[in-house]
Amino acid sequence: MIRFVVLASFVILFLVLSIPLLIVEWVIGKFHMDLKNRSSLAIVNWAFRCCLKIAGTNVIVRGEENVPKDQPVLYIGNHRSYFDILITYVRVPRPTGYIAKKEMLRYPLLVNWMKNLHCLFLDRKDVKQGLKTILTAIEKVKSGISICIFPEGTRNKVNHTFMEFHEGSFKIAVKAGCAIVPMTIYNSADIFEDHLPKIRKTTVILDYGKPIYVKDLPREDQKRIGAYMQNMIKETYFKIKEEASA
């Protein structure tokens, strides 16, 4: 419980004490958006690294050389923990927005930082609004901002399983013509979700696959890109699980 209390206190303090920074970032954005993008990325990366350190989370990163640094991409991955956002965000080499559920809009200050980072908010019950969010994400990628989405649509609460990867998530890469970077996240739920409300010191593995362009896939795989990417991440996940069990 001590880690949970310390982490919660840090997050609250950061959000409150960063109010002046939000104002500075707003002013910077009026004159130099690229500088704002880079400074917001650096500030939030620092905060997330602090959170991971407080939680005692050791992240082993594999395949980071597969992540293009000179172009925006669509990151996709499996999703078991709230910590997946922290684990993956501290590794991004360029401004990256996450697609989050619209319920996140209710949290003041946090939502301000999320908007600074080009995060988008998806209403999973409204198909029309969901389409608008995807179209906005496509424009973000075309403007040079990477996008990250967890195509299962929500956190999977069952360990070592995968929910369906929604095909609509991949329209971002198809329409923007960007690469898809698959992320396999192993053991992240052991930080918090598997034993609420305790936070435990643990090791997580983050594996980046090689970038994939939908247009380069066989036509049949293009038609079912969600299933194709799910199978790829699932295969990597169980390879990691087998190594961890050895």
Side-chain angles (χ1 to χ4, degrees):
M1 279 296 291
I2 294 176
R3 289 184 189 276
F4 177 83
V5 172
V6 174
L7 181 58
S9 300
F10 173 81
V11 171
I12 293 169
L13 281 172
F14 170 78
L15 291 175
V16 173
L17 297 178
S18 68
I19 292 174
L21 284 176
L22 283 170
I23 296 171
V24 171
E25 291 292 278
W26 179 81
V27 173
I28 293 173
K30 290 293 182 180
F31 301 97
H32 200 314
M33 184 56 70
D34 183 58
L35 177 59
K36 178 187 177 182
N37 288 339
R38 287 184 281 113
S39 57
S40 290
L41 174 66
I43 292 166
V44 174
N45 264 341
W46 173 82
F48 280 0
R49 289 180 189 278
C50 289
C51 289
L52 291 171
K53 188 170 184 179
I54 292 168
T57 304
N58 175 43
V59 183
I60 298 174
V61 183
R62 301 179 178 179
E64 197 162 17
E65 68 279 2
N66 292 323
V67 180
K69 297 177 175 58
D70 58 348
Q71 58 185 286
V73 301
L74 174 67
Y75 296 97
I76 62 104
N78 57 306
H79 190 26
R80 282 277 288 121
S81 172
Y82 291 116
F83 280 86
D84 293 338
I85 292 92
L86 283 68
I87 290 164
T88 55
Y89 199 83
V90 297
R91 311 305 306 189
V92 299
R94 57 186 298 121
T96 301
Y98 280 54
I99 294 185
K101 57 187 179 180
K102 73 165 187 175
E103 286 78 9
M104 297 302 295
L105 289 167
R106 70 180 66 159
Y107 301 110
L109 300 179
L110 175 60
V111 73
N112 294 91
W113 279 111
M114 292 179 74
K115 288 180 178 178
N116 275 5
L117 299 173
H118 299 277
C119 292
L120 302 173
F121 302 91
L122 181 66
D123 186 343
R124 292 172 291 188
K125 297 179 181 178
D126 189 326
V127 175
K128 186 176 180 180
Q129 288 300 316
L131 178 58
K132 287 179 67 175
T133 302
I134 296 299
L135 292 174
T136 303
I138 292 168
E139 292 306 312
K140 291 281 187 185
V141 174
K142 288 181 177 179
S143 71
I145 306 296
S146 292
I147 292 291
C148 179
I149 188 168
F150 298 108
E152 288 170 294
T154 188
R155 280 188 307 111
N156 184 358
K157 296 179 175 60
V158 182
N159 218 356
H160 308 310
T161 65
F162 290 78
M163 297 188 293
E164 178 186 1
F165 278 25
H166 298 300
E167 298 288 338
S169 307
F170 299 91
K171 291 186 183 296
I172 300 168
V174 174
K175 298 296 183 182
C178 70
I180 299 172
V181 176
M183 305 183 300
T184 304
I185 306 167
Y186 180 81
N187 204 40
S188 60
D190 191 50
I191 302 171
F192 182 54
E193 283 77 8
D194 284 349
H195 38 71
L196 297 171
K198 295 181 180 178
I199 291 177
R200 289 183 180 173
K201 185 176 181 179
T202 192
T203 295
V204 176
I205 296 175
L206 170 61
D207 185 288
Y208 292 101
K210 292 183 178 180
I212 294 168
Y213 288 90
V214 177
K215 62 181 177 60
D216 293 336
L217 295 175
R219 187 169 297 276
E220 282 304 308
D221 290 329
Q222 290 186 33
K223 291 179 180 177
R224 48 190 294 277
I225 183 65
Y228 177 87
M229 296 305 301
Q230 185 204 55
N231 288 336
M232 177 179 292
I233 289 177
K234 185 189 294 187
E235 182 178 338
T236 303
Y237 180 94
F238 284 107
K239 281 182 180 178
I240 296 171
K241 182 177 183 294
E242 186 176 346
E243 292 171 7
S245 302

